[in-house]
Amino acid sequence: MKSRRIIVVGAGPVGVVAALACAQKGFAVTVIESEMKVEDSPRAATTHPATLEMIERIGLIDQFIAQGLVARYFQFWDRPARTLVAEFDHELLRDETRFPFVVQTEQHKLANMGIARLRQFPDSRIMFGTRAIAVRQDSSSVTVTVERPDGREDLSADYLIGADGGRSTIRKGIEIEFEGYTFPEHFLGFTVLDDFQSMLPCCFRNYFADPAEWVNLFKVAGDDGKGRWRAVFPTRTGETDEEALSDEAMHGRLQRAFPIAKTYDVVHRNLYKVHQRVAAKFRSGRIFLAGDAAHVNNTIGGLGLNSGIHDAMELSETIHLVESGQADESLLDRYERRRRSKRCGSSRIACSTRIARDR
Ligand SMILES: Cc1cc2nc3c(=O)[nH]c(=O)nc-3n(C[C@H](O)[C@H](O)[C@H](O)COP(=O)(O)OP(=O)(O)OC[C@H]3O[C@@H](n4cnc5c(N)ncnc54)[C@H](O)[C@@H]3O)c2cc1C
């Protein structure tokens, strides 16, 4: 089976997990990434128990936990009353999973550790600074045209996985609709060095409800391991991006939600659109879509990242079953049947709620 090659477009967390899982099953793999390195701006970090089991299967779990924060609880708060409403305890899943907790490890760390592992496979090729611009296929192969600073090239393989994010060139190239809608408000994420746990008895994952303005607080380890918090807010209707990202609006939002006697130490701010969209098809012949290329959803809860990793694992297993002769080609359609029907909510979280007043 070594002679079978799979091209993965996109070195985000989903593409890298797909590539590594395929390499571990004996496929030769080529990863194509348009950027010069893995994108490391603050994005998803929350990794649920079922996904941790998958990260264990690809042999990265110890590193993954070591580079993140273990979050046993998550909490819902009433923001105006500043009271805890409910706390969920993953420990109640102990009999069902080896990982009765969430791990907050930033997605770029997973991608980077996966690439380092992938480089150990002599048949793997990782091409940064290489953009996929077109794709075509026939009954026996798929060919992607890539563009680099030194020119264009055609690369061929037996299969191609489009894990090239929400604006997927591969999805557009095979003319698959991205059905759904975009939320009217944008999300604002501020990364701060100030410690919210010194202000209120929250945990590492907190959701604050408020009829006027919700806010979520998450702690991540940071690249230096010293810990930092992300506060996520919605923008107001009619608020421009410039306004929302201004110092004045940012500090105003943080201080109104969590007043402190000093100026917040903000190390990163970002603003992004939030969509609820699913590709009309996840498979076209030898081409598959996975991760954000196949589905995007509200980012709260990390379901985009988690369900994307589930796509990657299911897809590598499905192609392996077919190529190793354990199943016939019709199994390839099962990937779409299973993953598309799950849309974005694939995490197996069955935590029990403990109402705060009963504690
Ligand atoms: C700004 C932003 C903030 C987010 N914040 C959160 C958050 O706080 N919490 C949360 O849970 N989720 C968040 N998300 C969503 C989460 O990051 C995604 O669900 C997750 O990244 C999906 O991983 P992926 O590998 O499918 O796609 P991506 O991480 O988008 O990776 C796709 C990769 O493909 C590459 N690529 C794109 N086009 C091409 C091409 N033509 N050729 C070659 N390479 C290409 C890109 O450079 C990228 O590296 C955020 C997303 C964005 C965009």
Side-chain angles (χ1 to χ4, degrees):
M1 207 174 59
K2 280 263 177 198
S3 58
R4 294 291 189 198
R5 181 164 290 275
I6 298 177
I7 293 176
V8 178
V9 181
V14 174
V16 171
V17 168
L20 181 58
C22 288
Q24 289 171 338
K25 291 184 188 309
F27 292 104
V29 173
T30 302
V31 179
I32 294 166
E33 167 57 50
S34 54
E35 300 300 318
M36 296 308 290
K37 63 178 184 57
V38 167
E39 161 70 54
D40 61 1
S41 65
R43 291 171 70 177
T46 300
T47 314
H48 295 292
T51 314
L52 295 174
E53 291 172 12
M54 295 174 182
I55 293 174
E56 182 183 42
R57 268 161 49 201
I58 54 170
L60 298 177
I61 194 67
D62 292 341
Q63 268 178 280
F64 188 79
I65 293 176
Q67 290 188 34
L69 298 175
V70 171
R72 171 174 165 177
Y73 301 104
F74 63 105
Q75 297 176 345
F76 286 85
W77 286 73
D78 180 327
R79 175 178 162 184
R82 223 178 159 79
T83 52
L84 179 63
V85 177
E87 180 176 78
F88 289 67
D89 183 358
H90 285 82
E91 182 59 28
L92 292 163
L93 294 175
R94 181 157 289 282
D95 292 341
E96 296 183 49
T97 175
R98 285 178 18 78
F99 306 102
F101 44 79
V102 152
V103 179
Q104 302 272 103
T105 301
E106 300 91 322
Q107 65 176 55
H108 67 274
K109 294 180 180 172
L110 174 62
N112 280 322
M113 65 182 79
I115 284 172
R117 191 65 62 92
L118 199 52
R119 289 194 196 282
Q120 296 171 0
F121 289 82
D123 282 339
S124 73
R125 192 172 172 209
I126 301 152
M127 303 169 71
F128 282 100
T130 305
R131 177 177 295 279
I133 55 169
V135 65
R136 62 183 188 277
Q137 60 180 323
D138 57 31
S139 59
S140 60
S141 70
V142 50
T143 300
V144 60
T145 305
V146 299
E147 192 169 60
R148 283 194 299 267
D150 58 351
R152 290 185 178 182
E153 187 186 351
D154 279 353
L155 303 170
S156 293
D158 299 282
Y159 297 98
L160 181 142
I161 299 175
D164 52 341
R167 295 180 182 160
S168 174
T169 300
I170 300 303
R171 188 189 63 240
K172 291 173 189 161
I174 51 178
E175 297 181 348
I176 291 180
E177 286 295 312
F178 209 25
E179 298 162 345
Y181 57 90
T182 300
F183 287 88
E185 69 270 44
H186 297 179
F187 283 11
L188 273 166
F190 304 128
T191 307
V192 306
L193 298 182
D194 309 87
D195 181 9
F196 287 103
Q197 280 183 314
S198 68
M199 303 171 213
L200 75 168
C202 62
C203 62
F204 290 170
R205 299 174 57 213
N206 312 279
Y207 304 87
F208 292 78
D210 184 340
E213 183 189 61
W214 55 262
V215 55
N216 301 324
L217 292 182
F218 308 101
K219 190 172 185 184
V220 292
D223 286 344
D224 57 9
K226 290 182 178 166
R228 55 203 58 202
W229 287 82
R230 290 201 81 203
V232 181
F233 297 85
T235 57
R236 286 191 320 274
T237 312
E239 189 176 17
T240 65
D241 293 357
E242 293 69 29
E243 251 181 278
L245 286 168
S246 68
D247 283 352
E248 194 187 347
M250 176 180 73
H251 287 293
R253 273 196 163 89
L254 287 164
Q255 290 288 356
R256 277 192 301 278
F258 309 105
I260 52 172
K262 63 180 275 289
T263 304
Y264 271 94
D265 194 354
V266 182
V267 292
H268 192 275
R269 59 187 96 176
N270 65 353
L271 177 96
Y272 53 95
K273 289 185 184 168
V274 185
H275 315 271
Q276 197 75 29
R277 294 182 186 276
V278 180
K281 290 169 65 188
F282 282 16
R283 177 191 175 204
S284 168
R286 297 179 166 271
I287 302 172
F288 299 87
L289 300 176
D292 276 17
H295 47 76
V296 287
N297 58 268
N298 186 325
T299 56
I300 297 168
L303 293 181
L305 171 66
N306 283 267
S307 59
I309 291 172
H310 294 214
D311 294 345
M313 296 300 286
E314 167 111 19
L315 190 47
S316 61
E317 178 65 21
T318 306
I319 298 175
H320 172 70
L321 286 171
V322 171
E323 285 298 330
S324 61
Q326 297 174 67
D328 68 46
E329 213 184 298
S330 64
L331 195 78
L332 296 176
D333 282 331
R334 190 183 70 178
Y335 169 71
E336 175 175 309
R337 275 200 311 279
R338 282 193 178 172
R339 298 306 308 159
R340 191 171 184 279
S341 63
K342 288 203 169 49
R343 297 173 60 117
C344 307
S346 60
S347 278
R348 181 157 52 86
I349 316 170
C351 302
S352 176
T353 312
R354 198 163 39 147
I355 301 298
R357 66 171 179 276
D358 294 334
R359 295 173 77 204

